[in-house]
Amino acid sequence: MIIAIGSDHGGFRLKTRIIAHFTDLEFDDVGTGAQESCDYSDYARLVAERVVRGSAQCGIVICGSGIGVSIAANKIRGIRAALCCNEYMAEMSRRHNDANILALGERVMGEELALAIVKRWLEAPFDGGRHQRRIDKMMSLEHADTKHSR
Ligand code: RB5
């Protein structure tokens, strides 16, 4: 399994730490490659495109708060990016929402918690069943005619 991973400068340290920690996993690191200031949407886009095209099976995006990368990744059709602040959210985003991208904020959590979140997210399966119906409904919103809805 290939995991696309990307961050801006605000998530660079945590990205480096995740790659160094999970030595048994294969990462496709899309950058950024240094701590100079850059724009989170560029890296969220690179990760999201790899996931929708299938060159990566899932993705991890990181910025300072996790908010910018999660919003940006969710702009790409087919992406379900989940910003997770604890292990419960990580597990449920896989089991109920079939999240294909995990978003993290380096400045809002400790490193050990972030690593535990990544582990739980990668290990949790999608439950399917009624959750698939809800996901289908949710994903159809990408094509919704918002002008004519109630
Ligand atoms: C960069 O300073 C910061 O705004 C960015 O990493 C992120 O937190 C945005 O949502």
Side-chain angles (χ1 to χ4, degrees):
M1 176 171 81
I2 297 175
I3 303 163
I5 187 166
S7 76
D8 71 353
H9 56 289
F12 174 71
R13 273 168 53 117
L14 181 56
K15 174 166 70 70
T16 307
R17 186 72 182 94
I18 289 169
I19 294 169
H21 181 83
F22 294 97
T23 49
D24 52 332
L25 299 178
E26 192 177 346
F27 290 100
D28 177 5
D29 182 359
V30 305
T32 184
Q35 279 182 310
E36 275 86 61
S37 181
C38 59
D39 300 334
Y40 55 80
S41 58
D42 295 338
Y43 300 96
R45 178 181 180 165
L46 289 171
V47 168
E49 286 177 346
R50 278 162 171 72
V51 172
V52 290
R53 287 184 192 145
S55 68
Q57 283 62 61
C58 64
I60 299 174
V61 291
I62 312 161
C63 65
S65 63
I67 295 171
V69 283
S70 63
I71 294 173
N74 277 314
K75 299 287 181 195
I76 306 290
R77 272 191 202 139
I79 291 301
R80 292 178 298 282
L83 173 56
C84 297
C85 309
N86 56 49
E87 291 174 74
Y88 175 78
M89 291 172 80
E91 181 173 338
M92 298 317 286
S93 77
R94 288 287 311 129
R95 289 182 52 192
H96 286 194
N97 312 115
D98 197 19
N100 49 17
I101 290 186
L102 169 65
L104 294 171
E106 179 184 310
R107 297 173 185 160
V108 297
M109 67 178 67
E111 201 174 274
E112 289 309 312
L113 174 58
L115 294 174
I117 288 173
V118 171
K119 184 172 187 295
R120 183 84 79 96
W121 191 77
L122 289 171
E123 285 174 357
F126 174 47
D127 283 352
R130 68 186 184 283
H131 302 295
Q132 186 59 59
R133 183 186 72 241
R134 292 165 184 165
I135 287 166
D136 291 344
K137 233 181 218 185
M138 171 171 70
M139 298 314 282
S140 76
L141 296 175
E142 290 180 341
H143 308 282
D145 178 1
T146 49
K147 270 192 211 132
H148 297 103
S149 63
R150 288 189 283 140

